Amino acid sequence: MRVERLHVLRADQEANRGEFVTYVVYASHRSVHNYALEYAIHAANALGKPAIVVFPLIERKPHPNLRRFRFMLEGLLKLRGSLEGRGIKLVVRKNFDFLPLIRESCLVVLDRPYLAHQRRYIDEIVKGSESRVVMVEGDVTVPVEVVSPRPEPYARTIRPKVLRKLDVFLEDVPALAPKTPSLDLDVTSWDEDTVEGYVRGIEVDHTVDAVDRLVGGEDEALRRLRTFVGERLPFYSERRSDPGAVATSELSPYLRWGMISPVQVLREVLKHYALNDVNVQTLINELVVWRELARNAAVYNPDFGKFEGLPLWARSTLEDHAGDRREHIYSLRELERAQTHDRYWNAAQRELLSTGKVHNYMRMYWCKKLIEWTETPQRAFEYAVYLNDRYGLDGLDPNSYLGISWCFGAFDRPFFESKIYGKVRRMTEESLKRKSGIQLYLSRYS
Ligand SMILES: Cc1cc2nc3c(=O)[nH]c(=O)nc-3n(C[C@H](O)[C@H](O)[C@H](O)COP(=O)(O)OP(=O)(O)OC[C@H]3O[C@@H](n4cnc5c(N)ncnc54)[C@H](O)[C@@H]3O)c2cc1C
């Protein structure tokens, strides 16, 4: 594994005194192609100790609803099975109940999360540790600081920087055999055989239903990846922006929970297609360029995910037009229930409610319209974040705030001035009507 993926958060203190190496699986919910896991096993083998994997079940993260929990827990049960098959114990603990284990560890390994509320959680772990803590950046192709030491304003500025380094970071991560298995270690874990068992024991908001269509877990992610590569990738470039077509990977929830990594996706794609294939290039533009732009913004922009985090020109122009007359104003409740006059928008909201994600093209329209239908651009931004994070299985991701910020002008250029939007690019019904699959989309979500 390339050393640039490693971040030492706490240098050697009382190393070797602890009983085991602990990997806290916070962001990369998978047992294969997991850089942090293999780093932990490698280090444990070198120290002659066992390695355990700790899964913190945090109850009060934003939107602790049944939809998000069920998807995550389906993945957790499968992760436990796969790790046990390799002789590694998965320890589930509620909230911060795992911190005593951190103190007993001779080395702590962490995933790298990018959002502010997740970084605070990492700080708690570092404070609670008496030994070396290493964070591993395993859910991006090229690590953020390697791509660029500064905030990148546009996809076109980050593109050459990330693409230049891409091939050396598409490295394989062979699965190592632990020399000392940890299954018999005397460490208590909250083990249930079913998702329902866990749900009964945690505070979960039951008002957002689970989504049957998407099942959590790394096996599901791999199955979807193979379907994508075999059946959809040949049409990806041509059809990905057609709302009626099923031409994209639908991997965003799996990437969001680290049930698959972007490197895994690209390695599989490149087994079947050449790098210069137009569909592969289009996928790289989304999965690498835009996705890494989101992580760049999460690391370098302290206000990322808020209206205040938008570029000055975008904020000013939207505020200048905040007093423009709006033909329709909707409450959050009306929006949430897809009760607007606009059948396209309602269809997109229904897709979000029923499937936990929205087609990319419709997502842009969905978000832009909020600017038109709320009293202020600040409120529109808040509503977009709320709806996307609450109902999206791929929500609460740097991509979420990148997509929303883009709709409010960030990472885009100023356009001709118009009502309400000012110089921010508008999207109209006319552009939707030109999409050949729009009727099919409407019939699917009406
Ligand atoms: C308002 C708005 C909100 C969004 N919210 C989210 C969100 O909560 N979570 C999320 O993952 N994406 C979000 N996106 C980006 C994009 O819509 C989704 O990533 C994409 O639709 C997911 O479908 P897919 O997995 O089939 O994508 P594919 O086209 O198959 O792409 C593969 C992967 O590349 C990444 N990707 C694709 N498009 C983008 C993009 N524009 N920006 C960044 N990464 C991208 C995703 O990880 C995606 O799973 C949002 C976009 C907008 C405009």
Side-chain angles (χ1 to χ4, degrees), residues 26-170:
Y26 184 78
S28 313
H29 294 188
R30 61 184 184 274
S31 65
V32 291
H33 222 280
N34 183 331
Y35 298 93
L37 173 65
E38 302 308 334
Y39 177 79
I41 298 171
H42 173 79
N45 286 349
L47 292 165
K49 309 258 175 167
I52 60 169
V53 177
V54 167
F55 194 111
L57 262 186
I58 314 282
E59 287 171 300
R60 273 175 288 281
K61 46 178 133 191
H63 305 293
N65 60 48
L66 186 60
R67 170 171 298 189
R68 301 174 62 77
F69 261 105
R70 199 178 95 175
F71 189 77
M72 182 186 77
L73 291 167
E74 285 164 346
L76 157 65
L77 291 175
K78 291 170 184 170
L79 179 63
R80 188 169 66 204
S82 320
L83 290 174
E84 278 176 7
R86 292 177 64 184
I88 302 163
K89 188 177 178 80
L90 180 75
V91 178
V92 180
R93 295 269 175 105
K94 239 188 201 185
N95 301 321
F96 282 96
D97 292 354
F98 68 93
L99 282 179
L101 293 175
I102 296 295
R103 281 190 286 278
E104 289 173 39
S105 308
C106 56
L107 167 71
V108 179
V109 181
L110 307 172
D111 297 322
R112 181 173 192 183
Y114 296 96
L115 297 175
H117 74 275
Q118 301 168 324
R119 288 203 297 263
R120 280 200 292 277
Y121 167 82
I122 294 292
D123 293 344
E124 284 297 311
I125 296 178
V126 175
K127 260 193 275 159
S129 172
E130 289 171 2
S131 47
R132 189 174 169 84
V133 181
V134 179
M135 185 172 76
V136 183
E137 203 162 351
D139 289 311
V140 286
T141 49
V142 186
V144 171
E145 285 84 358
V146 175
V147 174
S148 173
R150 62 184 69 84
E152 293 294 336
Y154 302 109
R156 69 178 155 75
T157 62
I158 202 172
R159 185 173 291 114
K161 296 179 183 167
V162 66
L163 295 186
R164 202 180 302 137
K165 302 197 171 117
L166 185 60
D167 59 338
V168 292
F169 282 94
L170 291 184

Side-chain angles (χ1 to χ4, degrees), residues 391-402:
Y391 294 101
L393 276 174
D394 57 3
L396 277 161
D397 185 271
N399 284 1
S400 320
Y401 312 122
L402 176 98

Side-chain angles (χ1 to χ4, degrees), residues 236 248-252 286 357 360 363 388 394 399-400:
Y236 183 73
T248 67
S249 70
E250 299 185 280
L251 280 173
S252 56
E286 305 302 331
K357 63 193 290 298
N360 182 53
R363 218 163 188 167
N388 194 75
D394 57 3
N399 284 1
S400 320

Side-chain angles (χ1 to χ4, degrees), residues 336-347:
E336 208 160 9
R337 293 176 172 183
Q339 290 170 340
T340 75
H341 69 283
D342 180 332
R343 60 194 177 128
Y344 301 106
W345 195 92
N346 292 345

